[in-house]
Amino acid sequence: MTYQGLIHRYGHLLDLPAHTQNISLLEGNTPLIPMPRLGKEFGCELFVKFEGLNPTGSFKDRGMTAAISEAVGRGAQTVICASTGNTAASAAAYASRAGLRSIVLIPEGKVAAGKLAGAIAYGAEVIQIQGSFDDALSLVVEITQKTPIALVNSINPYRVEGQKTAAFEICDVLDNAPDWLCLPVGNAGNITSYWAGFKQYQKGLPQVLGVQAAGSAPLVLGHPVDNPETIATAIRIGRPARGEQALEAAQQSNGRIIAVSDAEILSAQKILASEGVWVEPASAAGLAGLIAESAFGKFDASGKRIVVVCTGHGLKDPSVITDSFTSPKVIPANYEALISLVGG
Ligand code: F0G
């Protein structure tokens, strides 16, 4: 049967109310790409779960199909979220598809071009906040407590239900859970969802390596960060809403949450691209964490089966690449100029 989206495929395993009306863009079913060359360096069997191939270019579509399907079924007319960009684009797309109004609050000047463009293109009312993602999240929580507007951040439990499906898919492809799962951690909805998904699916449990950016690492530092900074703007978050659950997932899985520098993130992004997988900076944090832990000897990858979750597509944040390279060379439009540049 042709693929009909996540609620169709896994809805029986998701705790969604009876009023849910399936709103889908055929999200999910993303590839688990083998990375044999890179895996060899760690002596492990390595895979990338490439979530950038979802309809709006990030894993957020998994939770959004669930959250919007529930919201529209209960008669909501307007949805709202705070976002570092990907949630905004996803909420806008699914809300438009369902005929709902969407409002997204983003930190001023700190959202990557591809995400902002997406949110606008899909029809969201975009509001910039003179503050951080964390400030925006407090505001949307307040307005949804005081008005009928529906909240579609991952505080919304249906977001977590939808995002559990990534764990199901990995187990379906590998037959079992991997030994390790490495992924970026921002507001901590995704790590919470994966852990819930693996526990529910009963195909074994991975150890979980959650990775924050060093300038935005409240879960590593053990306290909130008031002015988070990182080039990985998707995870530029100082007060993760599901921080406790993220720490629980790391602890229960006998894994850990670590921080990596922006330089390590950019280096991992390059390595992934050199294997044909271009992801946005935050999405490279999982691999950066794996590399750092291996280098420090804290991690023996040998013989293990490891899945690195790449949460968003490189096209979301092209300026990270174009800003750091000189422009391509310009030549006259003739063969002589071309062959003299390229060589024979
Ligand atoms: N990777 C990407 C590409 C993201 O956009 C996010 C979060 C994360 C990782 C972290 O996931 O928050 O569940 O721990 N982006 C949110 C947003 C905050 O607004 O798009 P998390």
Side-chain angles (χ1 to χ4, degrees), residues 59-60 83-84 86-87 184-190 234-235 237 280 311:
F59 73 97
K60 302 290 181 179
S83 182
T84 56
N86 281 323
T87 302
V185 176
N187 209 27
N190 209 28
I235 51 173
I237 293 173
E280 65 167 285
T311 44

Side-chain angles (χ1 to χ4, degrees), residues 113-125:
K115 305 176 190 182
L116 183 56
I120 295 166
Y122 295 125
E125 292 162 45

